[in-house]
Amino acid sequence: MTLQSAGQDVFGIESQLSETRVFAPNAAFAKQAHIGSMEQYTREWERSISDPEAFWGQVAKQLHWFKPWNKVLEWKAPDAKWFLGGKTNLAYNCIDRQVKAGRGNDIAIIWEGEPLPNGKPEVRRLTYADALAETSRCANALKAMGVKKGDIVTIYMPMVPELAIACLACVRIGAAHSVIFGGFSSSAIVDRVVDAKSKVIITADGGWRRGGIVPLKDNVDEACKGTDLIKHVLVLKRTAQDVAWTNGRDMWWHDAVDKASADCPCEEMDAEDLAFVLYTSGTTGKPKGIMHTTGGYMVYTYLTSKLTFDLHAPSPGAPSKQVYWCTADVGWITGHSYIIYGIMPNGVPTLMFEGAPNFPDAGRFWDMVQRHRVTHFYTAPTAIRAFMKWGDQWPKKHDLSSLQLLGTVGEPINPEAWMWYHNLIGGQKCPIVDTWWQTETGGHMITPLPGAIPTKPGSCTVPFFGVDAAIVNEKGEEMPANTGGLLAIRKPWPSMLRGILGDRERFIETYWSTIKTKDGTPYYKAGDGARRDSDSYFWVMGRIDDVINVSGHRIGTMEVESALVGHEAVVEAAVVGMPHEIKGTGIAAFCTLAPGVHVDDALRERLRSHVAKDIGPFAKPDVLRFTDALPKTRSGKIMRRLLRDIASGKAQVGDTTTLEDYSVLAKLKESEEG
Ligand code: PRX
């Protein structure tokens, strides 16, 4: 995809180019903010870039270390080591440190489950002392199953507090976790379990979503048929439905965890010990296990949480004035960094919810904001667009006056959605932080700081401290203002990925080999196309590779293609993104079929279900088109750019000079779904 077409086709770059509205930080907010002016931001940013070791060393001192580091940074591109020689523990900094500071009885996690059949919300509040006891018990239960430092435990759970507890229990004993989003299917679990060589899975009998049960345990059972690696399955009772049981392998949480000791000292982890693996999509069909380590990730997510959301820990024992709610699932990086690991060390209650934004009705989020007096609300543009469509009456029915700050993440936000968020939800008084980052970056990379940086609808504004972001060409040369290019990071940052599990070559190839600077300095290639405006603000256009963001979920087009060709009816498939009013990007699939296969809606449904079974329901194509042949270049490459043009309904398709067979194009245009 060319940068130009990425922006124009999918993300409405033309409207972004004409965006001139600027919103100065709210003066009252700025007055109390950690970073309260552009001057302060600029000064600190320059310091963080010119002397990163001094800057990050100072931040790291705000957290607990069993043993201090000897050196802040060692950078032998593309390998960074942060806080060398330092010993710490993520769980200790999330929980124990708060308990030791006198916050044992303060609220750490607020949780709201899907409303019960009687319509009542189910709410639980865990103090730091509760979290300490439950995490320690779970950690001891894992130890009893033979889990030890260096193992990778797979977690496949609904959005319940035990999911956060399970993560914290793993890192407490030095085991890394690999959380798989509950929307993934059993075959996706097999791939990830095999790649991580997991011997233990933590799951639940099911999870609630829109009144139905997500069959998590059934999916795990099915996955266990595909690999004999799994020795233990720890099962939380959530829905109380009957589930199949394998004696000797399966164990109930309430048996194993509740009976375990609540005393479990933290493993003293080397700053560079693996903290977790999180699988994400890339340009091949095989998801990659992104590796994050302990010290740098901890320090960076702590500081970004503190400054991007302007969190202020209450005095120990005093109720928090802030209630922070991130609506993401812990199955994605946003949930890892900004529900658990960055927020808990800041001492502000983190709200987790189970269910969906429109169940039992489209007022669910606003009802929750009102009841919990949420002050900080962080969600995805796709949710905002859905709310716009569901109508203003839903937010208007609720008291949203507690809100002080709004955030977005996961995809570019169109200025119209930004304005709606600002007016309807923020009551024109809340700063909006549009945070650009990735699974690989671990934390926010480009984002406004709410008390300091004027915002422009659709722009993620300026780099965070320590982030040397630039728009470059493939030679690493900076592009002039308002010219599209590759979004690159030129210096290491503490929470950068340390690699792809078991695939060094792919790590180097994906992130470090496209941009070839004259002096050989490697730059991190994010995989996004972007531009900077004349104020040096960043505007992210979207992915420039074969990855698409569908409703903020990252999907590789190759993954969907290999699922489709795995079905007997399909011979060849090409999948591309297409503009979608709510999802941002929808999935369009072009397939050639086996001889004699009859095209009808039933076939479309079968193929959609097949993709859901192979990857997960969120990866189902929105549009399926069937054709005799796919357009290819003379060298046999599928012309995806052309398919993107067709999928987005462009009358004038792009350059076709290398198209092998012009008649293919004509037929494809006729193959409209219906
Ligand atoms: O394309 C960018 C988009 O999401 C991609 C990263 O996806 P993932 O690893 O799943 O992480 C999502 C949550 C951090 C990026 O390459 N993206 C993320 N945030 C933004 C964004 N695009 C534009 N603006 C954002 N604020």
Side-chain angles (χ1 to χ4, degrees):
M1 184 194 286
T2 62
L3 295 168
Q4 210 57 9
S5 73
Q8 284 174 347
D9 293 351
V10 189
F11 300 103
I13 186 69
E14 278 144 7
S15 70
Q16 290 181 352
L17 278 171
S18 57
E19 180 58 61
T20 51
R21 287 168 287 199
V22 181
F23 294 81
N26 164 335
F29 192 102
K31 207 159 163 234
Q32 57 79 57
H34 293 295
I35 306 293
S37 68
M38 187 60 131
E39 294 67 43
Q40 191 186 358
Y41 160 79
T42 308
R43 205 168 52 240
E44 288 291 302
W45 184 82
E46 278 166 5
R47 187 169 76 85
S48 72
I49 294 295
S50 63
D51 193 353
E53 300 205 28
F55 182 90
W56 290 111
Q58 231 172 32
V59 178
K61 280 189 189 144
Q62 296 174 29
L63 295 165
H64 174 271
W65 296 78
F66 298 109
K67 181 175 168 275
W69 54 92
N70 312 316
K71 193 171 180 343
V72 173
L73 169 65
E74 188 182 281
W75 174 229
K76 287 196 196 115
D79 299 304
K81 287 186 182 154
W82 286 88
F83 308 109
L84 279 88
K87 300 266 186 208
T88 186
N89 186 290
L90 271 166
Y92 191 100
N93 278 287
C94 287
I95 310 172
D96 305 50
R97 183 173 145 266
Q98 305 294 11
V99 172
K100 290 223 157 64
R103 295 204 170 89
N105 296 324
D106 297 352
I107 303 298
I109 299 174
I110 308 171
W111 172 80
E112 180 162 320
E114 249 208 11
L116 300 168
N118 65 10
K120 286 246 157 57
E122 187 187 357
V123 176
R124 280 168 62 192
R125 289 186 176 81
L126 273 74
T127 63
Y128 289 99
D130 296 334
L132 178 59
E134 190 70 1
T135 302
S136 302
R137 279 196 206 99
C138 181
N140 279 326
L142 292 173
K143 275 187 180 171
M145 290 173 191
V147 176
K148 45 185 193 335
K149 184 175 173 190
D151 290 349
I152 302 179
V153 173
T154 295
I155 301 178
Y156 181 66
M157 291 180 85
M159 277 291 283
V160 288
E162 286 81 359
L163 167 52
I165 297 293
C167 292
L168 290 160
C170 289
V171 296
R172 188 169 193 88
I173 58 172
H177 52 71
S178 158
V179 182
I180 304 178
F181 170 56
F184 277 110
S185 68
S186 56
S187 17
I189 303 175
V190 178
D191 295 346
R192 288 158 176 75
V193 160
V194 170
D195 194 71
K197 301 187 183 66
S198 268
K199 294 200 246 355
V200 173
I201 300 192
I202 311 179
T203 187
D205 56 354
W208 291 109
R209 191 166 162 87
R210 293 200 177 92
I213 291 178
V214 185
L216 300 169
K217 172 67 164 63
D218 294 352
N219 291 347
V220 168
D221 288 340
E222 190 61 32
C224 286
K225 290 184 196 151
T227 163
D228 53 12
L229 278 170
I230 296 299
K231 300 291 175 263
H232 298 284
V233 179
L234 182 61
V235 189
L236 179 81
K237 190 172 263 185
R238 167 78 190 118
T239 58
Q241 59 166 343
D242 282 341
V243 286
W245 205 253
T246 303
N247 286 325
R249 186 198 70 187
D250 299 351
M251 222 175 298
W252 285 111
W253 179 289
H254 53 260
D255 287 332
V257 175
D258 292 3
K259 288 172 194 148
S261 153
D263 179 26
C264 178
C266 286
E267 185 76 32
E268 297 192 3
M269 300 292 282
D270 192 276
E272 281 301 333
D273 278 338
L274 187 66
F276 64 85
V277 173
L278 185 56
Y279 285 87
T280 190
S281 299
T283 52
T284 72
K286 188 178 179 294
K288 42 193 181 183
I290 302 300
M291 298 198 287
H292 282 290
T293 56
T294 305
Y297 175 80
M298 175 178 86
V299 170
Y300 195 82
T301 54
Y302 159 74
L303 189 72
T304 46
S305 298
K306 181 171 174 174
L307 302 187
T308 305
F309 301 125
D310 201 53
L311 299 182
H312 296 262
S315 322
S320 174
K321 292 200 183 94
Q322 299 182 323
V323 175
Y324 166 92
W325 182 18
C326 164
T327 68
D329 192 289
V330 169
W332 308 108
I333 191 70
T334 306
H336 281 57
S337 303
Y338 299 112
I339 292 179
I340 307 176
Y341 294 118
I343 306 300
M344 292 185 76
N346 274 289
V348 169
T350 179
L351 172 61
M352 284 176 79
F353 97 109
E354 178 198 44
N358 56 349
F359 183 87
D361 60 41
R364 170 102 199 262
F365 277 11
W366 318 125
D367 177 44
M368 283 183 62
V369 167
Q370 177 177 328
R371 275 186 294 105
H372 295 285
R373 304 299 295 158
V374 171
T375 54
H376 292 57
F377 181 72
Y378 189 35
T379 198
T382 182
I384 299 168
R385 288 190 295 266
F387 283 121
M388 288 169 72
K389 197 170 173 149
W390 293 333
D392 295 358
Q393 70 277 17
W394 294 106
K396 279 187 173 159
K397 261 204 272 195
H398 295 91
D399 175 8
L400 306 180
S401 61
S402 57
L403 288 171
Q404 294 169 8
L405 177 142
L406 304 174
T408 73
V409 56
E411 45 175 327
I413 181 165
N414 44 314
E416 197 194 349
W418 197 101
M419 289 307 300
W420 185 89
Y421 202 31
H422 173 71
N423 290 326
L424 263 285
I425 306 304
Q428 304 187 335
K429 69 174 198 306
C430 300
I432 296 181
V433 291
D434 171 354
T435 60
W436 176 85
W437 59 295
Q438 308 177 295
T439 305
E440 292 87 341
T441 69
H444 302 151
M445 299 297 280
I446 307 181
T447 175
L449 297 183
I453 311 291
T455 49
K456 304 184 187 185
S459 167
C460 53
T461 73
V462 294
F464 190 76
F465 297 141
V467 174
D468 182 16
I471 308 296
V472 300
N473 61 18
E474 293 196 346
K475 289 187 202 145
E477 294 157 348
E478 268 196 88
M479 306 301 284
N482 287 318
T483 311
L486 302 166
L487 178 46
I489 314 292
R490 298 186 287 203
K491 287 200 171 74
W493 65 101
S495 64
M496 66 195 288
L497 78 165
R498 300 299 196 265
I500 296 173
L501 187 68
D503 205 339
R504 174 82 182 164
E505 218 169 285
R506 192 173 179 195
F507 170 60
I508 292 173
E509 165 72 28
T510 309
Y511 306 105
W512 303 99
S513 31
T514 311
I515 304 168
K516 294 203 166 53
T517 58
K518 259 197 214 113
D519 65 359
T521 320
Y523 292 168
Y524 170 81
K525 182 193 75 169
D528 281 321
R531 69 179 174 91
R532 287 180 100 158
D533 66 17
S534 38
D535 293 325
S536 290
Y537 273 38
F538 284 82
W539 297 79
V540 175
M541 302 171 191
R543 302 287 313 190
I544 44 160
D545 51 13
D546 294 325
V547 172
I548 47 182
N549 285 314
V550 179
S551 300
H553 296 166
R554 179 164 155 181
I555 300 174
T557 52
M558 286 277 285
E559 287 174 76
V560 185
E561 286 166 9
S562 48
L564 284 167
V565 296
H567 190 280
E568 63 206 7
V570 178
V571 174
E572 204 176 17
V575 168
V576 294
M578 55 179 253
H580 188 285
E581 197 191 344
I582 303 291
K583 298 180 176 182
T585 306
I587 303 178
F590 296 84
C591 303
T592 61
L593 296 173
V597 174
H598 178 63
V599 173
D600 56 12
D601 284 345
L603 174 70
R604 288 197 169 91
E605 231 8 81
R606 280 203 301 282
L607 293 179
R608 283 199 179 105
S609 311
H610 178 77
V611 173
K613 195 162 178 295
D614 209 52
I615 305 173
F618 61 91
K620 281 189 198 177
D622 296 281
V623 169
L624 270 159
R625 292 200 188 175
F626 303 109
T627 168
D628 293 341
L630 292 168
K632 292 187 182 159
T633 61
R634 288 189 189 99
S635 60
K637 271 190 166 175
I638 295 176
M639 300 186 75
R640 289 164 187 285
R641 181 175 45 78
L642 253 170
L643 293 178
R644 269 192 291 271
D645 285 351
I646 294 170
S648 63
K650 277 202 171 173
Q652 220 30 56
V653 290
D655 174 29
T656 56
T657 46
T658 52
L659 186 59
E660 188 198 26
D661 177 359
Y662 284 84
S663 65
V664 166
L665 181 58
K667 283 188 191 149
L668 261 175
K669 289 181 78 180
E670 286 162 12
S671 75
E672 298 283 341
E673 184 167 23

Short mmCIF file of all heavy atoms in Angstrom, two decimals, residues 3-4 469-488 490 515 523 528-534 536-538 541:
data_model
loop_
_atom_site.label_atom_id
_atom_site.label_comp_id
_atom_site.label_asym_id
_atom_site.label_seq_id
_atom_site.Cartn_x
_atom_site.Cartn_y
_atom_site.Cartn_z
N LEU A 3 1.67 5.08 0.97
CA LEU A 3 1.25 5.88 2.12
C LEU A 3 0.07 6.75 1.76
O LEU A 3 -0.87 6.89 2.49
CB LEU A 3 2.40 6.77 2.56
CG LEU A 3 3.59 5.99 3.08
CD1 LEU A 3 4.78 6.89 3.22
CD2 LEU A 3 3.23 5.35 4.40
N GLN A 4 0.18 7.29 0.57
CA GLN A 4 -0.87 8.18 0.12
C GLN A 4 -2.22 7.48 0.12
O GLN A 4 -3.19 7.96 0.68
CB GLN A 4 -0.51 8.63 -1.30
CG GLN A 4 -1.00 9.99 -1.66
CD GLN A 4 -0.48 11.04 -0.68
OE1 GLN A 4 0.35 10.77 0.15
NE2 GLN A 4 -1.03 12.24 -0.77
N ALA A 469 10.39 10.27 18.14
CA ALA A 469 9.58 9.82 17.00
C ALA A 469 9.83 10.73 15.81
O ALA A 469 10.07 11.92 15.96
CB ALA A 469 8.11 9.85 17.37
N ALA A 470 9.78 10.15 14.60
CA ALA A 470 9.99 10.95 13.40
C ALA A 470 9.24 10.34 12.23
O ALA A 470 8.89 9.16 12.26
CB ALA A 470 11.48 11.01 13.08
N ILE A 471 9.01 11.16 11.22
CA ILE A 471 8.43 10.65 9.97
C ILE A 471 9.57 10.63 8.96
O ILE A 471 10.16 11.67 8.66
CB ILE A 471 7.30 11.58 9.45
CG1 ILE A 471 6.26 11.85 10.53
CG2 ILE A 471 6.68 11.00 8.18
CD1 ILE A 471 5.50 10.64 11.00
N VAL A 472 9.87 9.45 8.47
CA VAL A 472 11.05 9.30 7.62
C VAL A 472 10.72 8.52 6.35
O VAL A 472 9.65 7.91 6.25
CB VAL A 472 12.18 8.55 8.37
CG1 VAL A 472 12.60 9.31 9.62
CG2 VAL A 472 11.77 7.13 8.73
N ASN A 473 11.66 8.56 5.42
CA ASN A 473 11.55 7.66 4.26
C ASN A 473 12.41 6.42 4.54
O ASN A 473 12.97 6.29 5.63
CB ASN A 473 11.95 8.37 2.96
CG ASN A 473 13.40 8.86 3.01
OD1 ASN A 473 14.20 8.39 3.83
ND2 ASN A 473 13.73 9.79 2.15
N GLU A 474 12.54 5.55 3.56
CA GLU A 474 13.26 4.30 3.83
C GLU A 474 14.75 4.49 4.05
O GLU A 474 15.44 3.59 4.50
CB GLU A 474 12.97 3.29 2.72
CG GLU A 474 11.51 2.88 2.76
CD GLU A 474 11.17 1.64 1.99
OE1 GLU A 474 12.01 1.21 1.18
OE2 GLU A 474 10.06 1.11 2.19
N LYS A 475 15.25 5.71 3.74
CA LYS A 475 16.67 5.98 4.03
C LYS A 475 16.83 6.62 5.41
O LYS A 475 17.93 7.03 5.79
CB LYS A 475 17.23 6.94 2.98
CG LYS A 475 17.41 6.30 1.62
CD LYS A 475 18.14 7.31 0.74
CE LYS A 475 17.91 7.02 -0.72
NZ LYS A 475 17.82 8.24 -1.52
N GLY A 476 15.72 6.79 6.10
CA GLY A 476 15.79 7.40 7.43
C GLY A 476 15.82 8.91 7.39
O GLY A 476 16.01 9.56 8.41
N GLU A 477 15.61 9.48 6.20
CA GLU A 477 15.60 10.96 6.10
C GLU A 477 14.24 11.49 6.52
O GLU A 477 13.21 10.93 6.13
CB GLU A 477 15.88 11.38 4.65
CG GLU A 477 17.28 11.01 4.20
CD GLU A 477 17.40 10.90 2.67
OE1 GLU A 477 16.36 10.89 1.97
OE2 GLU A 477 18.54 10.81 2.19
N GLU A 478 14.25 12.58 7.28
CA GLU A 478 12.98 13.12 7.75
C GLU A 478 12.19 13.75 6.62
O GLU A 478 12.75 14.43 5.76
CB GLU A 478 13.22 14.16 8.84
CG GLU A 478 13.20 13.51 10.21
CD GLU A 478 13.06 14.51 11.34
OE1 GLU A 478 11.91 14.85 11.71
OE2 GLU A 478 14.11 14.92 11.85
N MET A 479 10.90 13.51 6.64
CA MET A 479 10.04 14.08 5.60
C MET A 479 9.69 15.51 5.99
O MET A 479 9.56 15.83 7.17
CB MET A 479 8.74 13.26 5.50
CG MET A 479 8.94 11.78 5.29
SD MET A 479 9.87 11.39 3.82
CE MET A 479 8.63 11.66 2.57
N PRO A 480 9.49 16.36 4.97
CA PRO A 480 9.07 17.73 5.29
C PRO A 480 7.66 17.72 5.91
O PRO A 480 6.96 16.72 5.83
CB PRO A 480 9.02 18.42 3.93
CG PRO A 480 9.47 17.43 2.92
CD PRO A 480 9.62 16.10 3.55
N ALA A 481 7.29 18.85 6.51
CA ALA A 481 5.96 18.96 7.14
C ALA A 481 4.87 18.60 6.14
O ALA A 481 4.99 18.87 4.94
CB ALA A 481 5.75 20.37 7.67
N ASN A 482 3.82 17.98 6.64
CA ASN A 482 2.63 17.63 5.85
C ASN A 482 2.90 16.67 4.70
O ASN A 482 2.16 16.65 3.72
CB ASN A 482 1.94 18.89 5.33
CG ASN A 482 1.23 19.58 6.47
OD1 ASN A 482 0.61 18.92 7.31
ND2 ASN A 482 1.38 20.89 6.55
N THR A 483 3.97 15.91 4.82
CA THR A 483 4.25 14.89 3.82
C THR A 483 4.24 13.53 4.51
O THR A 483 4.87 13.36 5.55
CB THR A 483 5.65 15.14 3.19
OG1 THR A 483 5.71 16.51 2.81
CG2 THR A 483 5.89 14.23 2.00
N GLY A 484 3.51 12.60 3.91
CA GLY A 484 3.40 11.28 4.53
C GLY A 484 4.71 10.52 4.51
O GLY A 484 5.55 10.70 3.61
N GLY A 485 4.91 9.68 5.48
CA GLY A 485 6.12 8.86 5.54
C GLY A 485 5.94 7.75 6.56
O GLY A 485 4.83 7.52 7.06
N LEU A 486 7.05 7.08 6.86
CA LEU A 486 7.01 5.98 7.82
C LEU A 486 7.16 6.53 9.23
O LEU A 486 8.04 7.36 9.48
CB LEU A 486 8.19 5.03 7.57
CG LEU A 486 8.31 4.39 6.20
CD1 LEU A 486 9.70 3.77 6.02
CD2 LEU A 486 7.23 3.33 6.05
N LEU A 487 6.33 6.06 10.12
CA LEU A 487 6.46 6.47 11.52
C LEU A 487 7.57 5.62 12.14
O LEU A 487 7.50 4.38 12.13
CB LEU A 487 5.13 6.28 12.23
CG LEU A 487 5.05 6.61 13.72
CD1 LEU A 487 5.70 7.93 14.05
CD2 LEU A 487 3.59 6.65 14.15
N ALA A 488 8.61 6.30 12.62
CA ALA A 488 9.78 5.59 13.14
C ALA A 488 10.16 6.13 14.51
O ALA A 488 9.87 7.28 14.84
CB ALA A 488 10.96 5.77 12.19
N ARG A 490 13.56 6.64 16.82
CA ARG A 490 15.00 6.62 16.55
C ARG A 490 15.88 6.24 17.74
O ARG A 490 17.06 6.02 17.58
CB ARG A 490 15.42 8.00 16.01
CG ARG A 490 14.73 8.31 14.69
CD ARG A 490 15.23 9.59 14.09
NE ARG A 490 14.74 10.75 14.81
CZ ARG A 490 14.65 11.97 14.28
NH1 ARG A 490 15.02 12.17 13.02
NH2 ARG A 490 14.19 12.97 14.97
N ILE A 515 14.19 0.54 7.36
CA ILE A 515 14.75 1.89 7.33
C ILE A 515 16.28 1.78 7.41
O ILE A 515 16.83 1.35 8.42
CB ILE A 515 14.19 2.74 8.48
CG1 ILE A 515 12.65 2.75 8.41
CG2 ILE A 515 14.75 4.16 8.45
CD1 ILE A 515 11.96 3.30 9.63
N TYR A 523 16.54 2.36 13.05
CA TYR A 523 15.34 2.98 13.59
C TYR A 523 14.27 1.91 13.73
O TYR A 523 14.20 0.99 12.90
CB TYR A 523 14.78 4.05 12.64
CG TYR A 523 15.64 5.28 12.47
CD1 TYR A 523 15.35 6.18 11.45
CD2 TYR A 523 16.71 5.55 13.32
CE1 TYR A 523 16.11 7.33 11.28
CE2 TYR A 523 17.47 6.69 13.15
CZ TYR A 523 17.17 7.58 12.12
OH TYR A 523 17.92 8.70 11.95
N ASP A 528 3.21 2.02 10.70
CA ASP A 528 2.15 2.99 10.41
C ASP A 528 2.66 4.06 9.47
O ASP A 528 3.84 4.42 9.51
CB ASP A 528 1.68 3.68 11.70
CG ASP A 528 0.74 2.83 12.52
OD1 ASP A 528 -0.11 2.16 11.93
OD2 ASP A 528 0.85 2.83 13.76
N GLY A 529 1.76 4.58 8.66
CA GLY A 529 2.05 5.76 7.87
C GLY A 529 1.54 6.96 8.64
O GLY A 529 0.51 6.88 9.32
N ALA A 530 2.29 8.07 8.58
CA ALA A 530 1.88 9.25 9.34
C ALA A 530 2.50 10.49 8.71
O ALA A 530 3.31 10.39 7.79
CB ALA A 530 2.33 9.12 10.79
N ARG A 531 2.08 11.63 9.22
CA ARG A 531 2.73 12.89 8.80
C ARG A 531 2.80 13.79 10.02
O ARG A 531 2.12 13.53 11.02
CB ARG A 531 1.93 13.56 7.68
CG ARG A 531 0.61 14.09 8.16
CD ARG A 531 -0.19 14.77 7.09
NE ARG A 531 -1.51 15.11 7.64
CZ ARG A 531 -1.79 16.27 8.22
NH1 ARG A 531 -0.87 17.22 8.29
NH2 ARG A 531 -2.99 16.49 8.73
N ARG A 532 3.62 14.81 9.93
CA ARG A 532 3.65 15.85 10.97
C ARG A 532 3.16 17.13 10.33
O ARG A 532 3.48 17.40 9.17
CB ARG A 532 5.07 16.08 11.48
CG ARG A 532 5.55 14.97 12.34
CD ARG A 532 6.96 15.24 12.83
NE ARG A 532 6.91 15.75 14.18
CZ ARG A 532 7.96 15.69 15.03
NH1 ARG A 532 9.11 15.21 14.62
NH2 ARG A 532 7.85 16.12 16.25
N ASP A 533 2.41 17.92 11.07
CA ASP A 533 1.94 19.18 10.48
C ASP A 533 2.94 20.29 10.78
O ASP A 533 4.02 20.04 11.33
CB ASP A 533 0.50 19.50 10.93
CG ASP A 533 0.39 19.80 12.42
OD1 ASP A 533 1.44 20.07 13.05
OD2 ASP A 533 -0.73 19.77 12.95
N SER A 534 2.59 21.52 10.43
CA SER A 534 3.59 22.59 10.58
C SER A 534 3.85 22.93 12.05
O SER A 534 4.82 23.64 12.35
CB SER A 534 3.17 23.81 9.77
OG SER A 534 1.79 23.95 9.86
N SER A 536 4.49 20.48 14.02
CA SER A 536 5.17 19.23 14.41
C SER A 536 4.25 18.24 15.11
O SER A 536 4.72 17.34 15.80
CB SER A 536 6.39 19.49 15.29
OG SER A 536 7.39 20.08 14.51
N TYR A 537 2.96 18.40 14.98
CA TYR A 537 2.01 17.43 15.54
C TYR A 537 1.95 16.20 14.62
O TYR A 537 2.00 16.34 13.40
CB TYR A 537 0.60 18.04 15.63
CG TYR A 537 0.34 18.79 16.91
CD1 TYR A 537 1.32 19.57 17.51
CD2 TYR A 537 -0.92 18.73 17.53
CE1 TYR A 537 1.06 20.27 18.68
CE2 TYR A 537 -1.18 19.42 18.70
CZ TYR A 537 -0.18 20.18 19.27
OH TYR A 537 -0.43 20.86 20.43
N PHE A 538 1.81 15.03 15.25
CA PHE A 538 1.71 13.80 14.48
C PHE A 538 0.26 13.48 14.14
O PHE A 538 -0.63 13.63 14.98
CB PHE A 538 2.29 12.62 15.28
CG PHE A 538 3.79 12.60 15.33
CD1 PHE A 538 4.48 13.39 16.24
CD2 PHE A 538 4.51 11.80 14.45
CE1 PHE A 538 5.86 13.39 16.28
CE2 PHE A 538 5.90 11.79 14.49
CZ PHE A 538 6.57 12.59 15.41
N MET A 541 -1.97 7.93 9.93
CA MET A 541 -2.94 7.59 8.88
C MET A 541 -3.41 6.15 9.00
O MET A 541 -4.51 5.82 8.62
CB MET A 541 -2.31 7.76 7.52
CG MET A 541 -1.76 9.13 7.23
SD MET A 541 -0.82 9.03 5.70
CE MET A 541 0.00 10.59 5.69
#
